């Protein structure tokens, strides 16, 4: 075995980072359990825990009881060691949802405050808007400003990290060049941004039907169409963050009055127009789908759902043929409204019209998947940053 380079400071930093990673992963551990997991000696384990506790990264949360000898202290990460704000930004031109949904979480993932914002707090200025949302969440949670660590944005567009710019987004002000680094500088926190569908896929992997899957594709059916491609250890984002923007895929050589692209075939406005031809008059496409599902067995409802399934099957075939994933998850407001009924009809149409046999499931998430994914992504980033800071802070140059 090669001897580790560096001094005792380097080894101590490695021990601290390994211990912190275990506390984050396991939740609570005693000194003895940590010693068994790390292979460190009793004195070294005690020294590491004392360092992490004094640094405010770990805390004693209880004591064991009932065994021989003195009760052992139970350690966990300090929830206040890092705080994350997640903000879901929505294009509300074709939906009744609020334009912003946001949450404040501690390092353990506990939600300290959450709120929807039915109007833009700053009328189109993203920096002022986010600042106002953060201030409101802090006030709700009773958290001081300096304790905020990280901001994770979920946006209905593609984020290009090379330029710090959000592209393909129809929310006023949010396509401004260099917006993400501008936010980081103005708020003095680390800021990450990601496509809303990518974040929904992260939530689906952590909390939904894709948990345990080696890889999968998520087909987002909402006001807009989108696709996220989960490769198991990462998401395929493309050179400029635009991977999965399938709504732009043309549908043949469109004739006058026919859909020009997949968005025009199965996006929210197209679905609402289709539903109207069958007599549905809901305020949104998702309301019309929910009504049709509730009226299953009615000829008009069944005909609408069948016609909708045929359209979604076309989009599904594009994803399945290009990516050949072991699983496709139908997600988004329209998929949630259609549930298992729509999933079964889509699968039937998919099999009827193609030789492809990709397994299809519908999301099991009923909450805002984008916000859930933003929380998961933000927490992962902060936790990895803390572990890395311990690993490298004392590394000799």
């Amino acid at each position: 075995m090669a001897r580790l380079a560096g001094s005792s400071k380097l080894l101590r930093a490695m021990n601290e980072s390994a211990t912190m990673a275990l506390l984050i992963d396991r939740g609570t551990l005693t000194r003895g359990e940590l010693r068994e997991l790390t292979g460190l000696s009793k004195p070294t384990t005690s020294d590491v825990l004392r360092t992490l506790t004094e640094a405010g990264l770990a805390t004693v949360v209880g004591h064991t009881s009932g065994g021989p000898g003195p009760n052992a202290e139970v350690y966990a990460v300090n929830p206040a060691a890092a705080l994350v704000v997640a903000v879901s930004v929505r294009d509300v031109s074709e939906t009744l949802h609020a334009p912003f949904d946001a949450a404040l979480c501690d390092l353990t993932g506990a939600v300290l405050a959450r709120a929807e914002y039915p109007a833009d707090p700053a009328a189109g200025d993203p920096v002022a808007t986010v600042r106002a949302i953060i201030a409101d969440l802090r006030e709700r949670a009773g958290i001081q400003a300096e304790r905020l660590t990280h901001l994770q944005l979920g946006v209905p567009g593609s984020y290009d990290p090379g330029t710090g710019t959000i592209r393909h987004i129809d929310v006023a002000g949010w396509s401004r060049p260099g917006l993400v680094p501008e936010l980081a500088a103005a708020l003095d926190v680390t800021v990450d941004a990601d496509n809303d569908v990518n974040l929904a896929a992260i939530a689906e992997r952590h909390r939904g039907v894709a948990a345990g899957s080696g890889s999968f594709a998520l087909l987002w059916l909402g006001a807009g169409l989108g696709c996220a491609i989960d490769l198991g250890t990462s998401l395929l984002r493309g050179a400029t963050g635009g991977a999965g923007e399938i709504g732009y895929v043309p549908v043949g050589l469109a004739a006058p009055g026919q859909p020009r692209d997949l968005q025009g075939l199965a996006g929210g406005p197209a679905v609402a127009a289709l539903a109207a031809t069958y007599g549905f008059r809901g305020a949104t496409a998702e309301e019309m789908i929910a009504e049709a599902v509730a009226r299953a067995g009615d000829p008009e409802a069944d005909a609408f759902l069948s016609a909708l399934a045929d359209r979604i099957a076309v989009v599904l075939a594009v994803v399945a043929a290009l990516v050949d994933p072991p699983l496709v998850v139908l997600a988004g407001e329209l998929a949630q409204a259609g549930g298992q009924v729509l999933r079964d009809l889509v699968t039937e149409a998919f099999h009827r019209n193609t030789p492809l046999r990709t397994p299809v499931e519908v999301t099991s998430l009923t909450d805002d998947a984008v916000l859930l994914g933003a929380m998961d992504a933000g927490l992962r980033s902060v936790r990895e940053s803390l572990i890395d800071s311990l690993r490298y802070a004392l590394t000799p140059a």
Side-chain angles (χ1 to χ4, degrees):
M1 179 177 176
R3 181 181 177 84
L4 289 172
S7 65
S8 60
K9 289 184 177 181
L10 171 59
L11 295 178
R12 186 164 67 248
M14 294 173 64
N15 293 337
E16 291 167 1
S17 67
T19 300
M20 189 68 178
L22 283 168
L23 288 173
I24 288 173
D25 183 55
R26 301 298 181 92
T28 58
L29 291 167
T30 64
R31 184 184 286 106
E33 290 169 335
L34 281 164
R35 191 172 64 251
E36 291 179 6
L37 290 167
T38 60
L40 300 175
S41 66
K42 287 185 178 181
T44 300
T45 302
S46 297
D47 182 57
V48 167
L49 286 171
R50 182 170 56 253
T51 299
L52 292 177
T53 302
E54 291 175 352
L57 297 177
T59 185
V60 177
V61 294
H63 297 77
T64 61
S65 60
N71 294 341
E73 293 178 327
V74 179
Y75 290 85
V77 294
N78 180 5
L83 296 174
V84 174
V85 166
V87 178
S88 171
V89 182
R90 298 165 172 155
D91 177 0
V92 294
S93 59
E94 302 292 342
T95 177
L96 297 181
H97 294 287
F100 301 96
D101 194 1
L104 172 65
C105 310
D106 66 22
L107 186 57
T108 68
V111 177
L112 306 179
R114 177 173 173 178
E116 283 194 320
Y117 299 87
D120 188 334
D125 178 357
V127 175
T129 293
V130 173
R131 194 190 299 276
I133 288 173
I134 290 174
D136 179 67
L137 291 174
R138 285 203 326 266
E139 183 178 358
R140 291 170 183 263
I143 299 297
Q144 297 177 354
E146 59 270 19
R147 293 174 59 192
L148 181 61
T149 309
H150 184 86
L151 169 65
Q152 176 69 55
L153 298 172
V155 296
S158 57
Y159 175 57
D160 182 355
T163 62
T165 301
I166 301 167
R167 305 180 187 276
H168 312 302
I169 185 170
D170 293 325
V171 182
W174 286 82
S175 60
R176 191 160 74 212
L179 173 61
V180 171
E182 180 185 347
L183 278 166
L187 301 172
D188 193 27
V189 297
T190 59
V191 180
D192 284 333
D194 205 348
N195 170 261
D196 51 2
V197 182
N198 284 340
L199 292 174
I202 290 174
E204 202 67 54
R205 170 166 288 284
H206 288 180
R207 308 163 184 255
V209 297
S213 178
S215 61
F216 69 98
L218 183 139
L219 177 56
W220 183 267
L221 305 169
L225 291 179
C227 179
I229 303 166
D230 180 297
L231 302 175
T233 57
S234 63
L235 289 166
L236 179 64
R237 291 182 169 84
T240 61
E245 295 287 352
I246 58 172
Y248 295 116
V249 175
V251 182
L253 301 175
Q258 297 299 311
R260 180 177 181 84
D261 51 27
L262 292 180
Q263 172 67 22
L265 181 71
V271 172
L274 176 66
T277 66
Y278 290 91
F280 291 88
R281 296 292 181 264
T284 65
E286 61 192 281
E287 286 185 3
M288 296 176 182
I289 293 173
E291 181 185 350
V293 170
R295 288 169 46 189
D298 176 88
E300 290 296 302
D302 290 350
F304 162 54
L305 291 174
S306 179
L308 174 59
D310 285 341
R311 294 189 179 202
I312 295 174
V314 173
V315 186
L316 175 60
V318 172
V319 175
L322 288 177
V323 183
D324 189 22
L327 172 68
V328 172
V329 178
L330 305 181
E333 299 94 340
L334 306 190
Q336 287 177 327
Q340 197 67 35
V341 171
L342 182 59
R343 175 263 177 197
D344 292 345
L345 291 170
V346 169
T347 302
E348 180 185 343
F350 177 59
H351 290 170
R352 185 173 65 249
N353 294 305
T354 77
L356 305 172
R357 292 297 179 266
T358 305
V360 180
E361 296 292 346
V362 68
T363 180
S364 60
L365 302 178
T366 57
D367 201 350
D368 180 352
V370 178
L371 185 65
L372 295 178
M375 287 190 281
D376 291 341
L379 286 167
R380 182 176 62 189
S381 179
V382 164
R383 290 166 177 171
E384 290 176 350
S385 178
L386 279 175
I387 293 169
D388 286 345
S389 68
L390 289 169
R391 183 177 297 132
Y392 298 120
L394 299 176
T395 303

